Amino acid sequence: MPTHTWQKSSYCGQGESCVHISASPTSVHLTESADPTQAVLSAPPAAFRALLRTLKASPNHC
């Protein structure tokens, strides 16, 4: 299993639950610190960029 260098989201507050991201040239990985399964979502960079564009364009995003 590859080793990831994780970075905590800048939107993470003081709570226990934070989103972390790790990127490589071929994929972007997301995980949530409070997830007991320690699941990792992986996507190609283009798909992650499309997700960010969609979230930024949405009037109801967090």
Side-chain angles (χ1 to χ4, degrees):
M1 173 166 275
T3 302
H4 299 287
T5 302
W6 295 103
Q7 178 180 349
K8 184 168 51 170
S9 168
S10 60
Y11 287 95
C12 183
Q14 296 295 331
E16 294 293 319
S17 180
C18 293
V19 173
H20 297 263
I21 187 170
S22 175
S24 72
T26 59
S27 59
V28 177
H29 312 282
L30 298 170
T31 191
E32 207 268 292
S33 59
D35 179 7
T37 67
Q38 298 180 345
V40 175
L41 172 69
S42 298
F48 187 69
R49 282 191 300 272
L51 172 65
L52 291 179
R53 271 194 310 274
T54 301
L55 290 173
K56 289 178 182 180
S58 171
N60 297 320
H61 76 278
C62 297

